[in-house]
Amino acid sequence: MKVPFLDLKAQYNSIKEEVLPAIFDVLDNTAYVMGKPVFNFEEQFAKEHNVKYCSGVSAGTDGNHIVLWGLGVGHGDEVIIPANTFIATAWGATLCGATPVFVDCHPESYNLDPAKVEAAITPKTKAIVAVHLYGQPADMDPLKAIAEKHNLYLVEDAAQAHFAEYKGKRIGGLSDACSFSFYPGKNLGAYGEGGAVTTNNDELAGKFKMIRDHGAVEKYHHEMYGHNYRMEGIQGAVLGVKLNHLGKWTDGRRRVAAKYRELLSDIEQIKLPTEMDYSKHVYHLFVIQVKGEEGKERSERRNALQKYLGENDIASGLHYPIPLHEQKCFADLGYAKGDFPVSEELAEQGLSLPMFPELTDEQINYVSEKIHDFFK
Ligand SMILES: *Cc1c(COP(=O)(O)O)cnc(C)c1O
């Protein structure tokens, strides 16, 4: 049996009859950039996330940049970012000319550890970026308290967390602003690049709309610096169709996670992801940790399991194999291996199992069987 990591084709086939006419409509109307399908999607997406404003943009990375740019983050400022995230979170800060300051993740949630944030704050700190990694919301309340105490902005990177809930409320409007990604493999994926920024702040929402479109509301009247970060019409149309299915797909991911949990909980050499009591996890990824063995490299057994699964036609992934503070591009920032032990352990032991809503029980059983075989 073959188990891919992700099966975009299965999802496409299931909505083909609905999504193709929506795409052809955009072509017929020649509204290739922004336009009605984008505006309709923005309205619907904001409503779904209980947030006042949503602006569709060209990618999640661009959203990370727009959020901090709109808040006025710039040269000489510092931005607190988890060491365990995809690098695009950090680009939000660097593109503003600011310096990313890394903080370790919490050993259970794998998100920014509120207990470690305050030690990283300096007079230059301007903002904290909470990433809802793997689909689980970061612990927003303590982060908000820290941000308020030190007069900092708090923003969210929800690239992996559409429809996730924190204390019963969907993320997206829980901080000053939030960015989303619609990269094809994300829980809500476009048929190309795409992203969005959301906020409840009227003034900030206005800035976001200007920044994405050359700093202008009215064509050729440029009120502030900006860029071309617009969303394409086809992506808006695709996302509008797909958003109506996201609830069902999210349930599908949670079903897969529950099944993995049921089947794998007896293996003591692995640690399953923890769903925190404050969160409704949407399982963009299902990351297990394969515990290292005494006297061996900590990643050795994880790597061996990945190889074994691969030999049995089961795809898996590493998210992320190198924490941000160990990336070559940030060598100038002066971090060293050992600075963020929780993120480093996760990088060396983490293994992402196949995860998408259409995974069948048969496939999940097969993955579990092979993992059991490996440890036998
Ligand atoms: C995917 C991702 C991004 C970037 O989104 P793109 O749409 O690919 O630019 C940013 N942050 C995180 C945590 C991501 O997973």
Side-chain angles (χ1 to χ4, degrees), residues 23-41:
I23 293 172
F24 288 135
D25 253 12
V26 175
L27 296 178
D28 286 340
N29 293 324
T30 69
Y32 302 134
V33 177
M34 304 283 281
K36 212 164 156 197
V38 171
F39 301 137
N40 287 344
F41 167 70

Side-chain angles (χ1 to χ4, degrees), residues 234-255:
I234 286 178
Q235 306 313 337
V238 168
L239 291 165
V241 168
K242 291 183 76 173
L243 186 54
N244 295 322
H245 296 272
L246 188 57
K248 175 184 68 193
W249 290 333
T250 303
D251 291 345
R253 288 177 181 275
R254 289 183 54 80
R255 171 190 60 85

